[in-house]
Amino acid sequence: RVGLFDYPVLMTADILLYNTDGVPVGEDQTQHVELSRDLARRFNSKFGEIFIEPKALVTEAKRIGSLSGMGKMSKSNAPESYIALTDDPATIRTKIASATTDDGKATKISSGTKNLLFLLELLAGKVVGEKFRKEREAGTIKYSEMKPVLAEAIIKELEPFQKRRAEISGEEAKKVLKN
C-alpha cells in the first residue's frame, strides 16, 4: 500500500492547483502545507512564478477530537465518530447525542467531555461554553441539556456551507459541466 506516501503529494496538488495563499489546517497537517511551499518555491525557481507559496492558517481549533473520545476527528474513523460537512441536522443531533462523555461527577474530565466542551465554546460562544464547563467542574452538568445546544451550534455553523453546496449541486453544476 502506497497511500501513506501518496497523501502528501495529493494534498500538495490540491493546494497548488487552486493557487491559494492560505490553507486552513489543523496542527497535524502543517507539514503538508510546508511541502507545498517547498515544491512551489522549487518549481517557481526553475520555471518562473507559476504557483503561489501557500501558508498554513492554523485556527483556534488546532485539533478536534473524535466524538468517540478516542483520537482525532477523521473520516478514516467510524462515521458516528465525526461530523461530516454534509450531515443533515437529524444526523448531527444523533451523533452528538451519542458522543462519549464521562459521568459528570468524576474528578478527572474525560477526553470526550473535554472535546465536547471545546466544540461548544468554539461554536456556541465562550459564555455558553464556560457555563457548561463550570457545571461540569461542580458535578452538576446535565449532558442531555448540553448536547442539544452543541448540536444546534454545529447545524447553524454548517448551514451556509450546505446551502451553497445545494445551490451548486443542481442546475449550476450542470451548466459548468456542459461548458
Side-chain angles (χ1 to χ4, degrees):
R1 299 207 177 235
V2 76
L4 182 63
F5 298 109
D6 280 348
Y7 179 73
V9 175
L10 293 172
M11 189 168 179
T12 296
D14 282 344
I15 292 168
L16 296 179
L17 172 70
Y18 294 104
N19 253 345
T20 185
D21 57 356
V23 183
V25 292
E27 283 179 327
D28 59 332
Q29 299 293 309
T30 57
Q31 71 272 17
H32 299 306
V33 179
E34 286 305 313
L35 175 61
S36 300
R37 286 177 63 78
D38 292 344
L39 291 175
R41 188 176 298 127
R42 185 161 183 187
F43 190 93
N44 290 344
S45 72
K46 283 189 163 200
F47 303 104
E49 292 299 312
I50 307 293
F51 295 115
I52 294 173
E53 292 182 28
K55 293 182 180 85
L57 304 175
V58 181
T59 64
E60 192 177 344
K62 296 173 184 173
R63 287 187 185 265
I64 297 180
S66 166
L67 296 177
S68 69
M70 304 293 282
K72 69 177 187 170
M73 192 176 284
S74 171
K75 291 189 316 185
S76 302
N77 298 335
E80 61 274 1
S81 70
Y82 66 88
I83 302 292
L85 295 176
T86 55
D87 281 347
D88 61 71
T91 302
I92 292 170
R93 288 183 190 102
T94 301
K95 287 180 177 183
I96 294 298
S98 62
T100 303
T101 54
D102 51 36
D103 67 3
K105 305 210 184 307
T107 313
K108 187 174 186 233
I109 299 176
S110 72
S111 61
T113 299
K114 283 180 188 175
N115 184 48
L116 294 184
L117 289 169
F118 170 71
L119 289 173
L120 191 63
E121 187 174 298
L122 188 69
L123 299 170
K126 297 213 183 273
V127 173
V128 174
E130 191 59 33
K131 171 193 177 288
F132 284 107
R133 187 174 302 282
K134 285 180 180 175
E135 287 179 11
R136 172 55 185 87
E137 289 168 359
T140 60
I141 193 167
K142 293 183 178 139
Y143 294 119
S144 62
E145 293 174 4
M146 182 194 83
K147 288 181 175 184
V149 172
L150 175 56
E152 295 310 313
I154 293 170
I155 291 165
K156 183 179 176 188
E157 185 74 22
L158 293 180
E159 188 176 31
F161 166 80
Q162 291 177 340
K163 183 179 177 187
R164 180 67 180 133
R165 183 177 185 268
E167 289 170 2
I168 63 174
S169 294
E171 291 305 312
E172 190 175 326
K174 289 177 186 173
K175 288 178 193 173
V176 169
L177 291 173
K178 281 183 182 179
N179 295 333

